[in-house]
Amino acid sequence: MYDKILVAVDGSEHSDAALRHALELARLSGGQVTAVTVTEPSSMAVPALDLVAVDTASLFEDLEKAKAETAAQILDHTRKAAGNVAIGAIHLASRQIADGILEAAEAAGASLIVMGSHGRRGLSRLLLGSQAAEVLARSKLPVLVVKA
C-alpha cells in the first residue's frame, strides 16, 4: 500500500520516533524509505544597518556551511538507524520546512509522508508553529503524524 515512504527528520526525538514508524512500515510493506531534512533560508535583521558595515556574505556562507554539516550528521544518523532497510537521504537547503517536505514527497513519488510532532496544544502551538499541521493542511498524500 505504501511503497514509497517519505520521512521528515531533524535530529529530534520526535523525528526519531517518526523514523522508527516509517522503517517499520517499510519492513511490513516491502516499501522504500526516503528521509528528508530541510534547512530554512538564513536571514538577518540588523537595525540601523546604515551605521554599521557588516560583511553578510561571509556570515551567510558560514551559516549555510554549518547547516549543511548538521544536515549531513542528521542523515548519517538516519542511515545508521535504518539498519537493513534501504533508505535514501535528501537535504533540501534554503526552503521553508513544510514546503521542502512537500517538494521532497513529490520528487520521490511518495505514497505516504511520515513526520513527528511535539503534540503541543493551545498557545504554545500557536507561538511555536506546527510544521506537521501545515503539511497536513497542504498535502495531497496521506500523512502519518507520530506524537513523541
Side-chain angles (χ1 to χ4, degrees):
M1 177 179 235
Y2 300 120
D3 58 336
K4 293 184 179 180
I5 301 167
L6 181 91
V7 60
V9 294
D10 64 7
S12 70
E13 67 183 67
H14 310 295
S15 74
D16 284 349
L19 176 62
R20 287 191 298 275
H21 279 76
L23 293 170
E24 186 60 25
L25 280 171
R27 282 186 196 98
L28 294 171
S29 69
Q32 302 170 342
V33 177
T34 300
V36 63
T37 192
V38 182
T39 52
E40 293 182 300
S42 297
S43 63
M44 180 184 311
V46 181
L49 187 60
D50 56 329
L51 300 176
V52 178
V54 178
D55 179 9
T56 57
S58 64
L59 281 173
F60 283 122
E61 285 176 19
D62 291 346
L63 282 170
E64 293 306 317
K65 182 180 176 186
K67 288 179 187 181
E69 289 172 359
T70 300
Q73 291 171 356
I74 290 167
L75 293 174
D76 285 344
H77 167 77
T78 300
R79 286 184 198 95
K80 289 175 185 167
N84 62 354
V85 175
I87 189 166
I90 302 169
H91 169 219
L92 292 179
S94 296
R95 310 280 201 301
Q96 297 302 319
I97 304 298
D99 292 343
I101 293 168
L102 294 169
E103 179 184 330
E106 185 175 334
S111 52
L112 176 69
I113 298 171
V114 180
M115 57 190 306
S117 176
H118 49 63
R120 291 187 180 105
R121 299 191 186 284
L123 185 59
S124 64
R125 179 177 174 265
L126 291 174
L127 292 173
L128 296 172
S130 174
Q131 299 304 322
E134 188 170 347
V135 170
L136 276 168
R138 294 176 44 205
S139 179
K140 296 175 185 169
L141 301 172
V143 179
L144 172 61
V145 178
V146 178
K147 287 173 60 171

